[in-house]
Amino acid sequence: MTEAYAHTLTHGHEEGSWFVEREEGGAWSAQGALLRLLHGGNLLPGLHALPLQHVPRGTALLHEGAAARCVYVIQAGDFKTVKTAEDGYELVLDFAGRGDLLGFDALASGHHASGAVALEDAAVHALPLHELEALRHASRAFDSALLATVSRQLERMGDAAWAMSAVGADVRVARFLVQLSTRMLERGQSARLLRLRMGRRDIASHLGLAHESISRSFGSLVEGGLLRVDNRDVEILDLARLQRHARCTRGLADEGPVRTSCDAPPLQAAALVHRPLGAAVQV
Amino acid sequence: MTEAYAHTLTHGHEEGSWFVEREEGGAWSAQGALLRLLHGGNLLPGLHALPLQHVPRGTALLHEGAAARCVYVIQAGDFKTVKTAEDGYELVLDFAGRGDLLGFDALASGHHASGAVALEDAAVHALPLHELEALRHASRAFDSALLATVSRQLERMGDAAWAMSAVGADVRVARFLVQLSTRMLERGQSARLLRLRMGRRDIASHLGLAHESISRSFGSLVEGGLLRVDNRDVEILDLARLQRHARCTRGLADEGPVRTSCDAPPLQAAALVHRPLGAAVQV
DNA sequence: CGATCGTTTGACGGTGCTCAATCACCGTGG
DNA sequence: CCACGGTGATTGAGCACCGTCAAACGATCG
């Protein structure tokens, strides 16, 4: 993770060919680099023109309730977004990585609705709100990418709710791992070998469980042959069964521990449109 | 709200009269009306120019997985946004009302990440995606309002996660009611007298509980003197205590049923880094 | 190498999920 | 008008699951 900064300089598909419309592509064009970042591509040298901020591991970049001055785009490192109760208990809403936005939930109220803590040494691009407006109107492409990214966040929160909604700790953990795997794949990394950047506590909070339950669930999944777990390194041995396990809605194992309990139907690709399922309506 | 549909046919937005560039106060302007809608104000007569769509109670306006063609702004009526599992079980992500957006989670992937079902007869404004782009670039105010509204949705999802994260069904229900009350207040309606537009099942799904637990929790809160419940009509008798109860992080009543158990400390702002967590949830 | 933190495992108790029956409320049709 | 099914809400009993407390184990870093 520390080596991530090394790449900051490389990867030069230069020329701001990204901004089709108005960007006359002067020297650098910060939003071109940001655009690339938002789309998951690699960074540009020109990115330095934007304020880059280092965030040491464990420190809070955003504070819940604080007045919003900037939003951030993660350049390197992973964060957790949290809601902290006044008694100190913190709820982990999501884990964010490179290309994700931080602080966007503050646009409506002017105050951050959640905090953000770096799970490891990280670097972010700071976007002061007024400059954000300027950037949006300077580049339609950037504007669209931004909106799309916010939309993706919305999607993510839905996925998180889905993970939390499962009955049975095993299933929640399975869902979490499937989501993590999917994200890694989208990021171009291995979908099988996961290095967890967060502790059991954070996972537990994110899934609405006790951290001991995370350990136990990992144990169950390992015993079921779905995983191999070594501290924070997780190897998915049987992704198909893990996904099937993640689909379990009701109580889990009707037999052994994690014996692929609720055998889901043969996994037919969900239709894109108009799923018949009689539950569409409800009166 | 039934008379609203009459105008469905009008919307002859030939010529770009939609985009009135800064609302120079001509007769009116569609995005001005939408803007007002997004901000929670009252409607304008001129709003009829926008495509208005009727959604009968119980029908799905959006289908999960379907290709995105429009996003919607609710004009009247309430919706639930749902994620449906292939076995028919549905997870209620959120409840949306007048002025809320529907379908915005599809912008990133092009497919709706969640469905939307009308809880009662409703009416929505349909915004085809291409026209949305046009509107955004025609009016900065509209564009900003839109972004702010999406941000508010993000906030909402965080609140929902907070509600689900509580240990103890009572606390979850309390949080749900507090949120509902707050929203009603923002909408200018009574914060004490709530008429639930959704069934116990939907609430249960939203909170990650069994629907029987909703009944029991209501019962507890009533016995504690916090509420008065008559079917779908809920009267909040003691909002302060309800809010205190909603702040409970750990196990609930250490004594009687809902005896304002965990008395919350004086609400000091939370520290910034590394707070030990202890709470968890359990469905 | 020792201190601190994170992870794992165990035992116990409680909460809520399951299953099931009852009641209240509606719109329908006899 | 009342009987009839259908849906939603409430209440009860039993037991599995997970949260809590506690202790051992392991990792990491100074």
Side-chain angles (χ1 to χ4, degrees), chain A residues 253-273:
Chain A
D254 41 12
E255 35 181 326
V258 186
R259 186 72 186 94
T260 308
S261 39
C262 50
D263 46 300
L267 167 62
Q268 46 196 341
L272 304 173
V273 214

Side-chain angles (χ1 to χ4, degrees), chain A residues 57-60 63 80 83-93 104-109 111 113 117-118 132-134 136-137 139-140 143-144 146-155 157-168 172 201-202 204-205 207-211 247-250 264-265 271-275 277 279-283, chain B residues 57-60 63-67 80 83-91 93 104-109 111 113 117-119 132-134 136-137 140 143-144 146-155 157-162 164-165 172 199 202 205 208 232 247-250 264-265 267-268 270-283:
Chain A
R57 162 191 184 124
T59 61
H63 301 275
K80 60 176 175 182
K83 259 181 180 298
T84 332
E86 51 271 3
D87 63 356
Y89 289 146
E90 76 174 12
L91 164 65
V92 174
L93 292 176
F104 237 88
D105 54 9
L107 279 196
S109 66
H111 294 268
V117 178
L132 177 73
E133 278 293 301
R136 284 178 59 220
H137 287 93
S139 163
R140 286 177 78 119
D143 191 23
S144 298
L146 193 75
L147 203 61
T149 307
V150 179
S151 164
R152 213 181 55 193
Q153 279 212 7
L154 230 45
E155 218 180 312
M157 295 294 287
D159 292 340
W162 179 66
M164 286 213 344
S165 76
V167 284
R172 294 196 203 185
R201 276 188 148 82
D202 290 332
S205 171
L207 296 177
L209 295 168
H211 65 277
R247 287 203 192 88
C248 294
T249 313
R250 328 180 346 139
L272 304 173
V273 214
H274 277 207
R275 339 173 103 264
L277 50 96
V281 189
Q282 180 269 9
V283 181
Chain B
R57 164 193 182 120
T59 61
H63 300 273
E64 187 184 350
K80 59 176 175 182
K83 259 180 180 299
T84 334
E86 51 272 1
D87 65 356
Y89 173 78
E90 74 174 16
L91 164 66
L93 293 177
F104 237 88
D105 53 9
L107 278 197
S109 66
H111 294 268
V117 178
L119 292 170
L132 176 72
E133 277 295 297
R136 285 179 55 222
H137 289 94
R140 285 178 77 118
D143 190 23
S144 299
L146 193 74
L147 204 60
T149 308
V150 177
S151 165
R152 213 181 55 193
Q153 279 214 4
L154 230 44
E155 218 179 313
M157 294 296 285
D159 292 341
W162 179 66
M164 286 214 339
S165 76
R172 294 197 203 184
D202 289 333
S205 170
R232 294 197 177 182
R247 286 202 191 89
C248 295
T249 314
R250 333 183 339 141
L267 170 60
Q268 51 194 338
L272 328 166
V273 214
H274 271 201
R275 349 204 77 274
L277 125 77
V281 102
Q282 185 266 5
V283 176

